[in-house]
Amino acid sequence: MTVLESSPAAREPGIHPSAEVHPSAIIAPGAVIAAHCRIGPFSIIGADVTLGQGVAIDGHVVIDGHVEIGEGVRISPGASVGLPPQDLKYKGEPTRVVVGARTLIREHATIHRGSVGGHGVTTVGADCLIMVNAHIGHDCTLDHHVILANNVMLGGHVQIADTVFVGGGAALHQFVRIGRQSVIGGMSGVEADVIPFGAVLGNRARLTGLNLIGLKRRGFSRAEIHQLRAVYRALFRSAGNLQERVQHVAREHGDHPAVQEILAFIRGDSKRGLCRARRVAPLEEDEGEAQG
């Protein structure tokens, strides 16, 4: 679960003297506006909203419901945060949205509050980038350094781990889990869980290999990447059922932390099952993995 960096410890309603609020903005009584915040024209801030220090909100933004925005967050015109979930069972309960420090929410992105049927909170971690028109449904959990490109759609209860990139126009089914440092190709329809470090593409999406570019950027050595590719082949392109393949990988490679993470993810609680590898001809195997 995401641990946010600067969730306010207590609410002290009011607007800090150093905050800059455009005369046309509407700030409901009860809102907390911390030092050095900036609120642009025609934006609306609800009574149960807390803005951390240095939050910058452009014009025509709506933030309503029980919402906590971390320090240094920037929100672009037309975005909305904290509106009710698109869930017919929702009856106005005081569920929440929490956004971590320094996250950037671009134009017309939408983040809905949690639901009683879920865990009651929608969470976006620190240092995330939510691009134009992206939608984060109720009860989603995004960890830190997540990037959602334009027009990404997250159904309710989606879990996304650290440093994941989701390409433009991708749609993630409700309850899907996305493992750390994986990449989702643009226009993909993801119906099942994606392993850490995986790369998926297609409608409906299938694993195409590992996120090799991401592994190199984050300092994995050539030997480590070679080992992870061997693990990928053993898990998704070898004989036997998945349980047998997992046991084999645990015996042969289980001492490596990244392999342990992949195996723990596969063994974890899943409501959607595991995204499997696409079928490739033998001569295409190495080339297919390099596409991540």
Side-chain angles (χ1 to χ4, degrees):
M1 186 175 181
T2 300
V3 178
L4 296 173
E5 294 183 4
S6 50
S7 182
R11 284 179 54 84
E12 298 181 4
I15 301 174
H16 192 277
S18 65
E20 300 178 17
V21 180
H22 192 275
S24 65
I26 299 174
I27 313 295
V32 178
I33 312 299
H36 309 298
C37 286
R38 178 177 58 79
I39 301 174
F42 304 104
S43 286
I44 300 173
I45 309 298
D48 297 307
V49 173
T50 299
L51 303 183
Q53 183 170 321
V55 170
I57 296 173
D58 291 335
H60 298 276
V61 170
V62 176
I63 306 177
D64 199 13
H66 291 78
V67 178
E68 297 178 10
I69 305 292
E71 296 181 3
V73 168
R74 293 178 290 160
I75 305 179
S76 298
S80 68
V81 180
L83 271 64
Q86 297 178 124
D87 182 349
L88 294 176
K89 300 183 297 296
Y90 182 74
K91 304 301 180 185
E93 298 89 351
T95 54
R96 300 187 298 137
V97 170
V98 180
V99 177
R102 299 174 302 280
T103 282
L104 173 57
I105 301 171
R106 292 300 303 266
E107 298 90 320
H108 303 286
T110 55
I111 304 174
H112 286 174
R113 70 182 80 144
S115 71
V116 173
H119 49 273
V121 58
T122 301
T123 305
V124 178
D127 300 295
C128 294
L129 171 55
I130 313 301
M131 294 191 195
V132 171
N133 280 336
H135 172 67
I136 299 174
H138 60 84
D139 302 289
C140 288
T141 300
L142 281 63
D143 286 348
H144 308 313
H145 301 280
V146 171
I147 298 176
L148 305 184
N150 295 352
N151 301 304
V152 165
M153 298 172 285
L154 305 185
H157 311 274
V158 170
Q159 300 177 36
I160 301 182
D162 289 340
T163 60
V164 167
F165 175 81
V166 184
L172 278 59
H173 195 285
Q174 60 185 359
F175 292 104
V176 158
R177 299 181 302 148
I178 308 297
R180 183 171 71 92
Q181 205 171 305
S182 56
V183 57
I184 312 299
M187 303 296 291
S188 293
V190 183
E191 296 181 308
D193 298 347
V194 177
I195 60 168
F197 317 108
V200 303
L201 181 66
N203 184 12
R204 300 301 193 219
R206 291 292 182 266
L207 281 165
T208 62
L210 297 176
N211 181 12
L212 299 181
I213 294 174
L215 290 170
K216 292 173 183 176
R217 286 176 176 171
R218 289 173 178 84
F220 281 72
S221 69
R222 182 182 294 272
E224 289 175 311
I225 292 174
H226 180 76
Q227 183 177 13
L228 289 176
R229 294 182 73 177
V231 166
Y232 178 86
R233 293 190 186 96
L235 286 172
F236 295 104
R237 294 184 178 162
S238 298
N241 61 45
L242 181 61
Q243 183 177 2
E244 292 169 343
R245 299 196 298 268
V246 166
Q247 291 172 350
H248 169 75
V249 168
R251 289 193 303 268
E252 297 296 322
H253 304 277
D255 58 339
H256 192 286
V259 177
Q260 293 172 6
E261 183 177 347
I262 293 171
L263 296 179
F265 183 91
I266 293 173
R267 292 165 171 160
D269 182 30
S270 174
K271 293 182 171 62
R272 297 295 305 170
L274 196 65
C275 187
R276 303 303 178 95
R278 68 179 177 91
R279 294 180 179 178
V280 296
L283 292 177
E284 297 176 350
E285 182 171 336
D286 287 340
E287 180 181 354
E289 287 194 43
Q291 298 301 315

